[in-house]
């Protein structure tokens, strides 16, 4: 499996970046609840034509419900759903110009691969036999499944079924393709290959992709923009770099990658933060300094933490530095990860490139330090405790 | 089960693998093959005298000639009509109901609805059927209700008509249709229906192209479970149909019980078995032909794509 699957051209005339709004998605104040539990609340979202947008969040954040409202499987309690500029919230799924790749693939077990792919074309009027045949053939080619055209889905591997599901949706040339965690059931290697393929395919077709996932790496690696969701709201929507480098909330900071979190209070107009144990952290001036001693939550990425060996007796009172002892070392491919017990009681994660530094042993005395620009400050209130190390 | 203290496990392992099927095979041999074989054997014999039920001293096909006489054939045609109509009605009522139960009813309420389907089933068959006698008689409440609503002037009686028999068998056999249909429809993953709609099929096309083809085993099971016992049923017919509800089962039973002519009764039973088997085969063939016709276009359109032949 490789990206060469995308070498075959599939015509998608006038779809890519069409100026007429074909392929755009807009949700306006959309609200949905099930049995009194609000799952999506006042959601506003717009997706540009040809964009690859990921809805990222933990289970129960409302991302799948949002996708199902786009597909038409759920009706919003209030608000508007627009696809290509037209309100569709009252249209049933079969009248919407979108197609879905299901998490379970949902291939029809009584039909061959080719018949599965032809299914959508067959439901439409005005597509003659020869065109069905050539489009099915083209779609099979696109996902490199031509050889398996006459097989039943139960005789395919998970990755092959995934490709058929993709071809079955794309053969209809929808304005928007909806993908509901389509890679979740694949093993890691295959999943990474499919991520590359999907991204290349989307670039080539120019179809709008709305991709639901709980896997932050997947979202970061494929998307033009990522919408991070929590409790039925969008916490932040931005390109992957911004989401990673400048998370808008402590939740986003914790959900995307790993973080070292500290709770403290702001002093000195927002430049200085005191955390428990009396340690002082320096940050870039906090954009919205709390009046007086505001409680804040501070995040520092593990890869921003530099670990240097320190003499056990060396006194240390400088800012953005914590002395401690290495508690565990683990090799994560290209990087070494240290777990450091700081003397002040904190536990720190640090990641350093494997080739850059010599390997420190467990029990070594170290000094962890980082630059003020790597310190992210969030208001302490209304930040549900995000699990440290939520990355896989 | 063996209570061998020296090592039942070892004994099990040493036993040939076919051993585990022995109880089932013995059961079938003893309670199915042997009785049917006996019936077939008796059917080739005769009734030698007033006080004997059967004898096989002379092997003859005369009993079949007797069994295929006018009375039997008339009654047979009637039975087949009731059987086919009853089974078709059960399917027509059971299919939408089972679909509703498996798809529309919330999972935690399904139990209640299923219980409602089964509750009459737990009451004695005969009592239920006699209950219908009360309802359908001219003094029954069906007649009273229709009279008081002004729909009819004179007391009407459905009792002792073919309609009453049909009503009785549909009532009695409907759960046998609903249960396998429900199980089959319940097993069709809801995401398949969603995928179908997502791909542009409305609910009818989804039902015809996805849900029903996948529920086919359940439909077949339901048809068999209703049609076979219904063809042999004579209690419902006797209670609700009276003289006009003569079913083949009644004739067979009367040969065994009243006439004490086991040879003739057996011949009738064999004919019944053969006709039921032929009907089932014909239905299966018709079903297969329908499927073939419906998928024919699909196959022709897509044939040979795997070989990479250009369109």
């Amino acid at each position: 499996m490789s990206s060469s699957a995308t070498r075959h051209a599939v015509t998608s005339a006038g779809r890519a970046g069409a100026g007429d709004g074909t392929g755009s998605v807009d949700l306006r104040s959309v609200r949905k609840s099930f049995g009194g539990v609000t799952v999506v609340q006042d959601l506003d979202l717009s997706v540009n034509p040809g964009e690859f947008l990921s809805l990222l969040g933990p289970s129960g954040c409302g991302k799948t419900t949002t996708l199902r409202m786009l597909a038409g499987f759920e009706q919003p309690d209030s608000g508007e759903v627009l696809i290509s500029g037209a309100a569709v919230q009252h249209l049933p799924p079969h009248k919407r110009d979108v197609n879905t790749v299901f998490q379970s693939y949902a291939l029809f077990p009584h039909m061959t691969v080719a018949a599965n792919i032809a299914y959508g074309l067959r439901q439409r009027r005005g597509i003659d036999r020869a065109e069905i045949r050539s489009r099915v053939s083209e779609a099979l080619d696109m996902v490199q499944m031509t050889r398996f055209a006459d097989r039943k889905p139960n005789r395919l591997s998970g990755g092959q079924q995934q490709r058929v599901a993709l071809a079955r949706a794309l053969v209809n040339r929808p304005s928007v393709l909806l993908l509901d965690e389509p890679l979740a059931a694949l093993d890691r290697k295959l999943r990474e290959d499919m991520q590359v393929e999907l991204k290349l395919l989307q670039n080539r077709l120019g179809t709008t992709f709305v991709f639901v996932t709980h896997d932050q790496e997947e979202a970061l690696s494929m998307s033009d923009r990522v919408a991070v969701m929590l409790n039925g709201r969008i916490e932040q929507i931005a390109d992957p770099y911004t989401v990673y480098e400048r998370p808008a909330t402590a939740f986003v900071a914790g959900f995307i990658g790993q973080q070292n979190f500290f709770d403290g209070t702001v002093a000195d107009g927002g430049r200085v933060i005191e955390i428990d144990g009396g340690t002082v952290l320096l940050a870039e001036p906090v954009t919205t300094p709390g009046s007086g001693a505001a409680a804040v939550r501070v995040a520092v990425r593990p890869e921003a933490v530099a670990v240097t060996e320190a003499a056990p007796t060396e006194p240390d009172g400088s800012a953005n530095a914590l002395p401690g002892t290495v508690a565990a070392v683990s090799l994560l491919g290209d990087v070494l990860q240290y777990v450091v017990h700081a003397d002040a009681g904190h536990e720190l994660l640090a990641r350093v490139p494997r080739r850059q530094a010599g390997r420190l042993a467990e029990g070594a005395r170290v000094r962890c330090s980082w630059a003020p620009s790597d310190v992210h400050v969030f208001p302490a209130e209304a930040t549900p405790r995000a699990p440290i190390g939520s990355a896989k | 089960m063996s209570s061998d203290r020296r090592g039942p496990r070892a004994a099990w392992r040493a036993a040939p693998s076919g051993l585990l099927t022995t109880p089932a095979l013995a059961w079938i041999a003893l309670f199915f093959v042997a009785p049917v074989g006996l019936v077939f054997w008796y059917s080739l014999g005769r009734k030698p005298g007033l006080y004997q039920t059967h004898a096989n001293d002379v092997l003859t096909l005369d009993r079949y000639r007797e069994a295929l006489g006018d009375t039997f054939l008339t009654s047979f045609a009637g039975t087949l009509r009731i059987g086919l109509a009853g089974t078709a009605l059960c399917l027509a009522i059971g299919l939408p109901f089972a679909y509703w139960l498996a798809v529309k009813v919330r999972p935690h309420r399904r139990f209640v609805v299923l219980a409602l389907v089964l509750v009459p089933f737990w009451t004695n068959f005969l009592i239920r059927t006699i209950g219908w006698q009360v309802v359908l008689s001219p003094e029954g409440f069906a007649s009273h209700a229709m009279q008081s609503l002004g729909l009819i002037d004179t007391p009407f009686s459905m009792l002792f008509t073919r309609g009453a028999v049909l009503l009785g068998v549909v009532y009695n056999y409907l759960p046998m249709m609903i249960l396998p249909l429900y199980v089959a429809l319940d097993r069709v993953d809801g995401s398949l229906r969603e995928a179908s709609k997502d791909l542009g099929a409305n609910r009818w096309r989804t039902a015809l192209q996805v849900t029903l083809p996948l529920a086919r085993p359940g439909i077949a099971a339901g048809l068999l479970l209703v049609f076979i016992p219904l063809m042999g049923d004579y209690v419902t017919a006797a209670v609700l149909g009276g003289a006009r509800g003569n079913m083949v089962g009644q004739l067979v039973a009367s040969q065994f019980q009243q006439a004490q002519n086991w040879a003739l009764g057996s011949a009738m039973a064999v004919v019944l078995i053969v006709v039921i088997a032929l009907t089932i085969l014909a239905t299966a063939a018709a079903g297969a032909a329908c499927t073939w016709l419906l998928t024919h276009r699909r196959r022709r359109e897509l044939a040979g794509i795997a070989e990479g032949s250009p369109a």
Side-chain angles (χ1 to χ4, degrees), chain A residues 338-360:
Chain A
Y338 294 107
V339 180
V340 177
H341 281 309
D343 297 344
H346 307 284
E347 194 168 273
L348 273 167
L349 272 183
R351 285 183 184 168
V352 293
R354 187 173 54 86
R355 288 161 184 279
Q356 221 172 64
R359 185 169 174 270
L360 293 164

Side-chain angles (χ1 to χ4, degrees), chain B residues 151-191:
Chain B
L151 291 172
I152 49 173
D153 301 328
T154 50
F156 97 120
S157 177
M158 232 186 112
L159 198 57
F160 306 131
T161 63
R162 284 213 180 268
V165 177
L166 201 55
L167 186 86
V169 294
V170 168
Y171 170 76
N172 276 330
Y173 292 101
L174 192 56
M176 306 296 282
M177 181 65 85
I178 289 175
L179 291 181
L181 283 178
Y182 165 71
V183 171
L185 290 169
D186 189 48
R187 281 182 52 183
V188 177
D189 190 350
S191 70

Side-chain angles (χ1 to χ4, degrees), chain A residues 108-126:
Chain A
F108 304 122
H110 58 304
M111 295 183 196
T112 62
V113 166
N116 262 282
I117 295 173
Y119 190 88
L121 299 176
R122 234 186 266 289
Q123 308 310 318
R124 298 200 211 163
R125 286 188 202 128

Side-chain angles (χ1 to χ4, degrees), chain A residues 56-212:
Chain A
L56 172 68
S59 47
C61 73
K63 57 189 193 297
T64 296
T65 304
T66 304
L67 196 80
R68 289 174 62 80
M69 287 193 285
L70 289 177
F73 301 134
E74 309 288 352
Q75 267 64 50
D77 298 337
S78 63
E80 277 191 303
V81 178
L82 290 91
I83 290 169
S84 301
V88 296
Q89 66 267 22
H90 300 302
L91 285 185
H94 67 272
K95 292 190 176 158
R96 297 190 184 194
D97 185 18
V98 299
N99 285 111
T100 307
V101 177
F102 292 83
Q103 184 172 11
S104 61
Y105 313 141
L107 299 178
F108 304 122
H110 58 304
M111 295 183 196
T112 62
V113 166
N116 262 282
I117 295 173
Y119 190 88
L121 299 176
R122 234 186 266 289
Q123 308 310 318
R124 298 200 211 163
R125 286 188 202 128
I127 300 188
D128 64 32
R129 228 174 252 185
E131 189 181 355
I132 290 184
R133 193 188 158 87
S134 71
R135 275 169 75 168
V136 168
S137 178
E138 206 173 58
L140 279 165
D141 221 19
M142 175 179 76
V143 294
Q144 291 185 313
M145 288 294 293
T146 305
R147 248 165 359 108
F148 303 97
D150 294 333
R151 289 226 190 146
K152 291 280 174 70
N154 62 6
R155 290 186 51 227
L156 300 177
S157 72
Q160 289 167 339
Q161 290 185 33
Q162 213 279 319
R163 284 155 180 277
V164 176
L166 195 60
R168 185 179 69 173
L170 282 174
V171 76
N172 305 295
R173 296 176 192 162
S175 303
V176 181
L177 185 72
L178 309 172
L179 302 105
D180 185 10
E181 309 215 18
L183 309 179
L186 304 181
D187 60 55
R188 191 189 169 105
K189 180 77 180 74
L190 190 55
R191 191 166 65 225
E192 285 171 356
D193 288 344
M194 282 304 295
Q195 286 172 11
V196 174
E197 267 187 51
L198 261 182
K199 179 62 191 164
L200 291 174
L201 192 66
Q202 193 266 342
N203 276 344
R204 191 157 51 78
L205 296 177
T207 307
T208 310
F209 276 33
V210 179
F211 187 97
V212 158

Side-chain angles (χ1 to χ4, degrees), chain A residues 24-30 40-48 51 53-56 62-63 66-67 69-70 80-83 178 209-212 225-229 233-238:
Chain A
S24 69
V25 172
D26 288 282
L27 295 176
R28 293 184 189 155
S29 314
V30 167
V40 171
Q41 34 190 331
D42 300 323
L43 193 78
D44 286 298
L45 173 68
S46 47
V47 187
N48 303 317
E51 189 175 23
L53 181 109
S54 289
L55 296 173
L56 172 68
K63 57 189 193 297
T66 304
L67 196 80
M69 287 193 285
L70 289 177
E80 277 191 303
V81 178
L82 290 91
I83 290 169
L178 309 172
F209 276 33
V210 179
F211 187 97
V212 158
R225 281 192 302 159
V226 179
V228 185
M229 291 185 71
R233 295 175 195 279
I234 292 178
E235 290 269 302
Q236 183 174 14
I237 177 163

